[in-house]
DNA sequence: TTAAGTGCAAAATCTTTGCAAATGT
DNA sequence: ACATTTGCAAAGATTTTGCACTTAA
C-alpha cells in the first residue's frame, strides 16, 4: 500500500520538475496520511532527526511555490500546510474552501464546503479573494472532552 | 483636538482599571489615528526610541486582555491590532466583522460589513464562530499603482 | 557531469521572561 | 506607601541565509 502512494508522489514531483528526493517523499507521505494541516515544527517532530530543519523549510516553500501544497495560518499565526486540490499549480491556487481551526488542539482542517458569500468592500478596495475560517472544536477534541 | 482624544483615552484606561501612562496613551493615540491595524514592529518604528520594545508588547497584550483592542493576523501571520468596538470587554470580544488584507502593502483593515454565512461543518466539528478575510488591493495601493 | 538539493553553522527576526528602578494613584 | 508599569539584559523560539558537500537525472 505504501508503494502505491510513493508512485503517486514520484509522479507529482516529476510533473513539477522537482527531483525525487527522500526529504520530499517523506513530507508528502506524512501530509497525505494526515487529516489536518501541518506546520514545520510538527513535521520536524515526525521525521525525528532524519531530515534537517532547514531542509523541511525549503521543501515546504518549494511545494508551496509549485502549487503542491497551500499555506494556512492557524489560530496562533503559525504557518501550516495542506496538500492542494489537483486544480492548483504554480500560477493559480484554488484553495477557496473553508478552513476549520480547533481552539483546543489548534489543528487546522480543510472543509469541503464552498459557499462563498459576496463581500462588499468600501469603495476603493478591490477584493480578489475571500478566505473563511471557522473556529470551534474538532471531532477529536470533542470526543476527549465528553463528560467533563 | 489632541486633548479631546487624550481625555477619551484616559477614561478608557480608567474604565479598565489601568494606570494612565505615557506608553499606553501613545499607543492609543497612534492606533486611533490609523485606519489599518498595527503590529508591534510598526508601532516600534512609529514611536522611535521613545518606548521600549518590551513595553509595547506588554501594552498590546494588556489591551487585548481588557478587550480594548483585538488581534488580527495579517497575510504573513504577523499579529496586528485594532481598537475594538465599544461592545468589547475582557469577557467577550465582538470583532466578527470582515477583515481586509492588502496583498501589496500587507495592511489589515476592519470592514464594517457583517453578513455572516452559515458554515456547514462535517459531523463532529462544532463551529463556534467564523472569521472572514477578504484579500485584495487596498485603496491606497490602487492609487499608487494606477497607470502601471 | 552538473544543476539541484541537502546539511551544517551562523545570522536575523520576533517574542517572552526576570528583575531592579521608576511611576501613577 | 505600594502595587503597577517600565526599561534593560538576556533567553527562547522561529525562520532565513551562505556555503561546501552530496545526489538525482
Amino acid at each position: 500500500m505504501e508503494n502505491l502512494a510513493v508512485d503517486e508522489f514520484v509522479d507529482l514531483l516529476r510533473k513539477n520538475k522537482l527531483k525525487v528526493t527522500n526529504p520530499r517523499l517523506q513530507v508528502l507521505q506524512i501530509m497525505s496520511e494526515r487529516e489536518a494541516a501541518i506546520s514545520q515544527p510538527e513535521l520536524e517532530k515526525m521525521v525525528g532527526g532524519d531530515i534537517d530543519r532547514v531542509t523541511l523549510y525549503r521543501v515546504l516553500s518549494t511545494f508551496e511555490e509549485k502549487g503542491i501544497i497551500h499555506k494556512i495560518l492557524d489560530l496562533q499565526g503559525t504557518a501550516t500546510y495542506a496538500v492542494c486540490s489537483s486544480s492548483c499549480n504554480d500560477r493559480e491556487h484554488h484553495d477557496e474552501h473553508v478552513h476549520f481551526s480547533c481552539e483546543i488542539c489548534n489543528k487546522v482542517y480543510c472543509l469541503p464546503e464552498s459557499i462563498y458569500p459576496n463581500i462588499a468592500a468600501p469603495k476603493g478596495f478591490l477584493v480578489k479573494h475571500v478566505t473563511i475560517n471557522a473556529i470551534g472544536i474538532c471531532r477529536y477534541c470533542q470526543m476527549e472532552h465528553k463528560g467533563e
Side-chain angles (χ1 to χ4, degrees), chain A residues 32-43:
Chain A
S32 72
E33 281 169 353
R34 229 178 113 93
E35 194 179 355
I38 195 167
S39 64
Q40 185 284 329
E42 288 173 288
L43 212 40

Side-chain angles (χ1 to χ4, degrees), chain A residues 96 117-122 124-131:
Chain A
E96 301 218 336
N118 275 343
I119 298 300
F125 287 79
L126 172 66
V127 174
K128 294 175 95 172
H129 42 275
V130 173
T131 66

Side-chain angles (χ1 to χ4, degrees), chain A residues 79-92:
Chain A
T80 67
Y81 299 87
V83 293
C84 284
S85 70
S86 51
S87 64
C88 291
N89 56 51
D90 57 357
R91 300 274 156 175
E92 281 184 304

Side-chain angles (χ1 to χ4, degrees), chain A residues 1-10 25 29:
Chain A
M1 64 210 248
E2 275 196 339
N3 280 339
L4 271 175
V6 168
D7 285 349
E8 290 169 25
F9 301 151
V10 169
L25 289 175
Q29 182 70 49

Side-chain angles (χ1 to χ4, degrees), chain A residues 58-128:
Chain A
R58 288 194 276 225
V59 167
L60 290 173
S61 81
T62 302
F63 283 3
E64 197 198 356
E65 278 164 25
K66 294 292 184 177
I68 296 173
I69 62 180
H70 66 272
K71 187 200 281 189
I72 319 159
L73 298 175
D74 72 11
L75 290 179
Q76 268 85 61
T78 302
T80 67
Y81 299 87
V83 293
C84 284
S85 70
S86 51
S87 64
C88 291
N89 56 51
D90 57 357
R91 300 274 156 175
E92 281 184 304
H93 278 259
H94 304 285
D95 59 332
E96 301 218 336
H97 46 260
V98 175
H99 292 132
F100 181 96
S101 299
C102 177
E103 59 189 11
I104 294 179
C105 66
N106 197 45
K107 286 204 177 71
V108 178
Y109 299 84
C110 298
L111 303 189
E113 195 65 42
S114 279
I115 15 82
Y116 264 74
N118 275 343
I119 298 300
K123 43 258 145 276
F125 287 79
L126 172 66
V127 174
K128 294 175 95 172

